[in-house]
């Protein structure tokens, strides 16, 4: 069966949106609007999977939900042409996640590196929601039978799990799916879209760790709300090695911090790493870093200014989310009716 091509992705309303979220995810979301129908979600139900003191409590969740929505729009997502909404306003996410909790196997979820990293040593004390996170993520995508999912490299494993869940659902209910006229498969196999020079932006303090909202050190990341001075200071302090930049991309493989800064430059300038090195090969970091700061400020400051303006207009932001939720709900309702029939849940 041919599925309608559709993009779905999300960002959690937790902590500070950073350059990794922008280059790995939101910038790609904007580009994909040209070629697909897109649904972009603020995944508030995912946000509460960590302890309440980490996600910050009700007031912080409201603030961060509006901030991510403002960031989507400030970066160039068109909420009229596409759909922007927050997850909890469409109940199908939770309903389908329950069905998927019963399709996914403990062993599959137990292998997820995000769970291992976020749960840390004290796994007994992690929430059930953190363990089941990938089943909810599969539900987010498949509720809209989305075919393409732009994400950063860190979400590759979860996307593979979404594909496994879709496949197992299609197999477990194959007879019912066929009887209801859906052919061989009710759910598509969603394709991850992980492309470009910045699919995994690393911490500015440690080239072996990804830049993350949850990193305790603010120096580790460029926030989308940082001003020009903060950006310049963080780039100046970013960890590097003492050698000049190489001429060949291959030589970056053994130099994670240099590779990271070159990748950031390439993604912001919309060129390849090789093209960055053609320009800066042989240069010292003392010359490259100011050029990188200038580029960051030039690209991010219009976004930051627009985010700040939009964030204060809470009536507008909430109306975008309400309108998007209503349109998402209409699509989700169709899927949930079919899923209930396929599974054998009697319904009105
Ligand atoms: P947390 O640490 O709380 O999980 P996060 O920074 O990973 O926060 P998410 O909301 O989980 O942010 O992820 C939103 C999107 O940003 C996802 O597509 C994810 O793959 C992408 N992303 C997150 N961090 C990076 C990064 N360092 N480089 C590239 N993409 C990233
Ligand atoms: Mg994450």
């Amino acid at each position: 069966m041919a599925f309608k091509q559709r993009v779905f992705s999300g960002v959690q309303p937790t902590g500070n949106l950073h350059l990794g979220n922008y280059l790995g995810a939101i910038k790609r979301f904007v580009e994909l609007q040209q070629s697909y129908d897109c649904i972009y979600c603020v995944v508030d139900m995912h946000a509460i999977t960590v302890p309440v003191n980490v996600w910050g409590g009700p007031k912080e969740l409201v603030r961060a939900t509006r901030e991510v929505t403002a960031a989507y729009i400030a970066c160039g997502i068109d909420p009229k042409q596409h759909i922007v909404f927050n997850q909890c306003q469409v109940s199908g996410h939770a309903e389908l996640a329950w069905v998927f909790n019963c399709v996914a196997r403990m062993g599959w979820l137990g292998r997820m590196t995000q769970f291992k990293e976020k749960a840390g040593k004290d796994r007994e004390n992690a929430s059930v929601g953190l363990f089941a996170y990938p089943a909810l993520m599969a539900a987010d995508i498949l509720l809209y039978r989305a075919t393409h999912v732009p994400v950063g490299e860190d979400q590759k494993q979860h996307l593979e799990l979404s594909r496994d869940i879709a496949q197992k659902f299609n197999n477990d209910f194959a007879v019912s799916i066929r009887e209801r006229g859906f052919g061989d498969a009710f759910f598509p196999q969603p394709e991850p879209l992980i492309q470009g020079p910045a699919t995994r932006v690393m911490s500015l303090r440690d080239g072996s760790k990804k830049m993350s909202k949850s990193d305790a050190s603010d120096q580790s990341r460029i926030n989308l709300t940082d001003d020009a001075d903060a950006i310049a200071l963080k780039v100046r302090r970013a960890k590097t090695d003492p050698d000049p930049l190489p001429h060949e991309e291959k030589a970056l493989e053994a130099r994670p911090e240099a590779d990271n800064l070159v990748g950031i430059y390439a993604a912001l300038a919309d060129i390849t790493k090789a093209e960055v090195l053609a320009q800066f090969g042989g240069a010292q970091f003392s010359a490259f870093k100011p050029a990188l700061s200038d580029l960051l400020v030039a690209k991010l400051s219009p976004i930051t200014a627009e985010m700040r303006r939009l964030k204060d207009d809470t009536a507008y932001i909430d109306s975008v989310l309400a309108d998007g939720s209503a349109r998402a709900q209409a699509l989700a309702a169709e899927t949930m009716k079919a899923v209930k029939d396929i599974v054998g849940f009697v319904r009105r």
Side-chain angles (χ1 to χ4, degrees):
M1 179 176 161
F3 291 93
K4 180 178 160 46
Q5 303 232 314
R6 182 176 278 150
V7 162
F8 178 94
S9 197
V11 172
Q12 298 185 72
T14 43
N16 294 295
L17 278 172
H18 54 79
L19 185 65
N21 299 136
Y22 176 61
L23 295 178
I26 304 175
K27 186 169 184 286
R28 307 294 328 286
F29 298 180
V30 174
E31 293 156 4
L32 289 163
Q33 295 180 108
Q34 303 304 323
S35 2
Y36 295 91
D37 285 342
C38 302
I39 304 177
Y40 295 127
C41 189
V42 184
V43 287
D44 45 15
M45 290 158 63
H46 284 280
I48 67 168
T49 54
V50 290
V52 65
N53 65 314
V54 177
W55 61 265
K59 284 205 176 72
E60 172 57 17
L61 188 60
V62 171
R63 186 204 65 78
T65 300
R66 290 180 178 143
E67 183 171 279
V68 173
T69 311
Y72 278 170
I73 300 167
C75 290
I77 291 171
D78 179 351
K80 288 214 161 66
Q81 206 66 41
H82 299 273
I83 294 179
V84 171
F85 77 108
N86 57 316
Q87 193 181 20
C88 78
Q89 296 208 61
V90 178
S91 59
H93 290 261
E95 291 180 43
L96 188 57
W98 181 258
V99 175
F100 287 172
N101 280 341
C102 302
V103 171
R105 307 289 89 185
M106 294 285 285
W108 299 0
L109 292 168
R111 284 193 283 277
M112 295 295 110
T113 52
Q114 178 176 290
F115 174 73
K116 290 181 198 165
E117 277 169 22
K118 289 198 175 175
K121 288 197 183 70
D122 194 7
R123 264 193 222 179
E124 291 290 305
N125 210 19
S127 74
V128 176
L130 186 66
F131 187 72
Y133 184 115
L136 176 59
M137 181 164 157
D140 299 337
I141 299 162
L142 294 168
L143 186 57
Y144 306 98
R145 300 210 276 169
T147 51
H148 294 82
V149 187
V151 282
E153 170 73 33
D154 62 302
Q155 292 301 318
K156 187 165 184 254
Q157 196 185 31
H158 286 169
L159 247 299
E160 280 158 10
L161 191 97
S162 297
R163 294 165 65 88
D164 290 344
I165 289 176
Q167 175 96 53
K168 189 167 185 325
F169 181 94
N170 289 338
N171 290 346
D172 286 355
F173 297 102
V175 174
S176 186
I177 289 169
R178 200 163 305 119
E179 278 171 3
R180 308 242 159 227
F182 293 110
D184 291 341
F186 179 70
F187 288 120
Q189 290 273 289
E191 285 282 335
L193 298 175
I194 305 173
Q195 289 153 350
T199 57
R200 188 175 178 82
V201 177
M202 306 309 275
S203 157
L204 298 180
R205 308 302 298 160
D206 178 352
S208 68
K209 260 171 55 183
K210 94 167 179 78
M211 189 178 282
S212 180
K213 292 192 194 109
S214 39
D215 196 313
S217 163
D218 193 59
Q219 295 296 314
S220 70
R221 65 179 164 260
I222 307 262
N223 302 304
L224 291 190
T225 49
D226 283 346
D227 62 18
D229 290 345
I231 291 176
L233 190 65
K234 286 176 180 179
V235 172
R236 208 177 320 131
R237 288 191 181 154
K239 190 178 164 202
T240 47
D241 54 43
D243 296 335
L245 282 171
H247 292 278
E248 298 298 325
E249 197 179 334
K250 187 113 188 70
L252 289 173
E253 279 171 19
R255 299 175 60 187
E257 285 87 8
D259 186 34
N260 190 36
L261 297 187
V262 170
I264 291 171
Y265 193 104
L268 286 168
D270 282 314
I271 57 178
T272 62
K273 287 191 208 174
E275 286 169 320
V276 178
L277 295 180
Q279 203 178 331
F280 289 99
Q284 299 290 340
F285 282 104
S286 55
F288 179 64
K289 281 181 165 181
L292 178 59
S293 294
D294 288 349
L295 183 60
L296 276 162
V297 171
K299 296 286 179 181
L300 296 186
S301 62
I303 295 175
T304 308
E306 182 64 359
M307 255 175 84
R308 215 167 276 145
R309 191 185 69 77
L310 285 168
K311 241 175 32 177
D312 294 334
D313 194 349
T314 55
Y316 168 67
I317 294 289
D318 291 359
S319 75
V320 165
L321 294 174
D323 172 65
S325 299
R327 288 189 288 138
Q329 170 63 34
L331 298 169
E334 290 308 306
T335 307
M336 283 319 296
K337 273 192 216 158
V339 166
K340 286 176 183 170
D341 291 344
I342 288 167
V343 172
F345 288 147
V346 174
R347 66 176 178 89
R348 260 180 287 140

